[in-house]
Amino acid sequence: MTEATGNTTGNTTGTETTDVYDPFDPAFQADPYPAYRRLRDDDPVHRHADPPFWALSRFEDVWEAVRDHETFSSARGLTFYEDEIGKLGLAPTMVMLDPPRHTVLRRLISHGFTPRRTAAMEDTLRAFVRARLAEMRRREADGETVDLHRDFSSPLPTFALAELLGVPETDRARFGPWVSALTTFQDQGFDTSAMVEGSGARAVAEMFEYFSGVIAERRARPGDDLISVLTVAEADGERLTDWDVLGFCFVIVAGGNDTTGNLVSHAVALLSGRPDQRELLRADPSLIPNALLECLRLEGSVQALGRTTTRPVTVRGVEIPAGEKVMLLYGAANRDEREFGPSAGTLDVRRSIPRHLGFASGVHFCIGSHLARLQARVALEELLVAHPHVELDQPRAKRIMSPFTRGWVSLPARLGVSPCAGSGSPSAGRTSP
């Protein structure tokens, strides 16, 4: 990786910013953005002592690193913990493999996980969203406090994944808690030292046991669900093994659930703080897809992921030795004024975003991005029609506390009176996914 242009006068030891950037500090986790700015300006190649890792915070540096899989490898895990998945006794998943094996698996999986298959889910997802809103209205009318995240944003991706994977209605009561435990485990970085006996590890084991049975059943009697398609996918004479399919189930649940739910909740929260931007979307729903990218840029569900250097590499005059963990701070990079201009920290639903890191980039660009965008678009379209002035009680909200992800545990809300109660659908505002 060649040294990028820009300010190279930053601190190379990290001593000036250690007190600012502590990924375990609750104050940092509650609002990481001031620390990110300090890192970008003063210490863009930061060395963290305990645990030992480097952190890149400027957009150009993160962009180059995430696209250079030969230097910044995913094969030793995606956090600053060592071999987090291997300690669970699981085979490496697609996101923890480098080419050429990663390329083969992604090509095989892409046979079944297509944008067309995802788009076909829109009507089902829209019906689910409307049903959730109707239930929330009923509960609020009965005097209950509703929670935008728990009651609306979070259940949507769980439902979508169950539909996609063909989980029958009779098993969904089991599926939901597995998803919840697994995403909590992920937020803690798969820290097996703290969690190997906890609910996260049990959820992984139970989910793998369940889907092992499902895969065997689908191989014998294929249906039209994604798992069935994956069991028969073939490219250049190669097919997916049971471990490969299991790994994909793990990846899509761990990577596609709370990330999508948090995108929806963050979008509503950001728009609540900018009524002028919200009105632009109400007036022109075709702006919603770009607005969601802007919200993801400002409040990324994934704030940081790790790589491991395969060789010594120099970034901004600082040499990072081979075999070092490097955290790519997406949350910092996506607010870099050097890339997005002086208004980088401000919501602009019309912003031109030629490139961003909300779904990563390079060989590990998020394979489920089209599903996430579809869910978030449908959710925001329906909410803006039914309850455009939803009020969020952010002082009572509870955030995820994690070094790696950013989102919500709880986001109390007041829906208020619907301006279109009993009226038609927002289909006139639909856009392509």
Side-chain angles (χ1 to χ4, degrees), residues 40 59 75 160 165 173 175 194-195 197 199 206 224 267 271 299 318-319 336 392-393 405 426 430:
R40 289 194 304 268
F59 184 92
L165 297 173
F175 184 71
M195 292 288 291
E197 298 299 329
S199 60
E206 290 172 6
D224 60 358
L271 291 168
E299 287 279 21
V318 179
E319 181 174 295
D336 191 349
L392 304 179
D393 189 354
T405 60
R430 293 185 189 177

Side-chain angles (χ1 to χ4, degrees), residues 63-377:
W63 179 263
E64 288 191 24
V66 79
R67 295 169 66 85
D68 182 5
H69 64 269
E70 293 181 347
T71 303
F72 295 89
S73 169
S74 301
R76 285 175 54 182
L78 303 180
T79 73
F80 41 62
Y81 300 115
E82 286 293 333
D83 192 24
E84 60 266 26
I85 295 300
K87 289 176 182 176
L88 287 172
L90 305 178
T93 64
M94 184 175 67
V95 295
M96 295 185 183
L97 292 170
D98 296 322
R101 183 58 186 163
H102 171 273
T103 305
V104 173
L105 284 182
R106 186 167 181 125
R107 184 170 66 247
L108 284 164
I109 287 168
S110 67
H111 280 281
F113 195 41
T114 62
R116 176 177 291 183
R117 175 177 288 273
T118 296
M121 299 175 64
E122 177 165 345
D123 288 345
T124 300
L125 294 175
R126 196 173 293 278
F128 178 82
V129 167
R130 290 175 178 169
R132 296 302 299 187
L133 288 171
E135 173 66 12
M136 291 166 70
R137 281 193 294 270
R138 183 194 64 76
R139 289 174 48 202
E140 186 170 87
D142 288 344
E144 295 184 43
T145 298
V146 297
D147 192 298
L148 184 88
H149 190 73
R150 287 178 176 170
D151 298 333
F152 183 69
S153 306
S154 184
L156 175 57
T158 302
F159 170 80
L161 292 174
E163 287 285 308
L164 189 70
L165 297 173
V167 178
E169 292 286 347
T170 53
D171 291 339
R172 294 194 182 185
R174 301 168 64 194
F175 184 71
W178 291 341
V179 171
S180 178
L182 181 54
T183 52
T184 300
F185 192 23
Q186 174 191 249
D187 293 337
Q188 299 182 355
F190 300 108
D191 181 4
T192 52
S193 64
M195 292 288 291
V196 74
E197 298 299 329
S199 60
R202 286 195 300 272
V204 172
E206 290 172 6
M207 191 179 77
F208 268 56
E209 181 180 6
Y210 173 81
F211 279 110
S212 293
V214 172
I215 291 167
E217 180 182 324
R218 299 294 195 273
R219 288 199 188 277
R221 293 177 295 278
D224 60 358
D225 58 278
L226 179 58
I227 291 180
S228 293
V229 175
L230 295 180
T231 61
V232 299
E234 183 175 334
D236 300 329
E238 182 163 357
R239 299 178 69 171
L240 294 167
T241 67
D242 287 4
W243 265 116
D244 295 333
V245 179
L246 279 171
F248 177 70
C249 293
F250 178 88
V251 166
I252 196 173
V253 170
N257 196 77
D258 63 338
T259 50
T260 302
N262 286 321
L263 168 57
V264 174
S265 291
H266 276 138
V268 178
L270 287 166
L271 291 168
S272 295
R274 289 292 305 275
D276 60 321
Q277 298 290 294
R278 184 172 59 193
E279 289 306 308
L280 288 175
L281 301 188
R282 290 189 65 201
D284 183 3
S286 70
L287 294 174
I288 288 176
N290 192 73
L292 288 166
L293 287 182
E294 172 74 343
C295 292
L296 188 61
R297 182 189 69 81
L298 279 170
E299 287 279 21
S301 303
V302 178
Q303 290 282 297
L305 285 180
R307 299 289 192 269
T308 303
T309 52
T310 61
R311 62 178 179 86
V313 58
T314 299
V315 184
R316 300 192 180 277
V318 179
E319 181 174 295
I320 302 175
E324 295 281 294
K325 285 278 190 172
V326 180
M327 296 304 295
L328 307 180
L329 303 183
Y330 298 139
N334 273 331
R335 289 191 175 212
D336 191 349
E337 298 85 354
R338 298 158 189 81
E339 176 71 13
F340 300 103
S343 66
T346 302
L347 178 69
D348 179 0
V349 299
R350 289 175 166 160
R351 184 188 302 274
S352 174
I353 311 176
R355 57 180 190 168
H356 69 98
L357 289 158
F359 293 115
S361 187
V363 298
H364 286 291
F365 180 80
C366 177
I367 196 170
S369 62
H370 44 282
L371 179 58
R373 291 197 301 266
L374 171 63
Q375 293 175 78
R377 175 175 63 81

Side-chain angles (χ1 to χ4, degrees), residues 18 35 52 179 193 197 304 380 406 415 420:
T18 300
V179 171
S193 64
E197 298 299 329
L380 202 55
R406 182 162 172 80
L415 298 177
C420 57

Side-chain angles (χ1 to χ4, degrees), residues 373-428:
R373 291 197 301 266
L374 171 63
Q375 293 175 78
R377 175 175 63 81
V378 168
L380 202 55
E381 284 176 356
E382 295 291 336
L383 187 64
L384 285 175
V385 167
H387 301 286
H389 304 298
V390 57
E391 298 175 4
L392 304 179
D393 189 354
Q394 296 200 44
R396 292 176 53 214
K398 182 179 180 182
R399 275 200 171 274
I400 294 169
M401 303 305 285
S402 167
F404 309 104
T405 60
R406 182 162 172 80
W408 305 90
V409 174
S410 174
L411 189 54
R414 182 178 177 275
L415 298 177
V417 178
S418 169
C420 57
S423 65
S425 90
S427 57

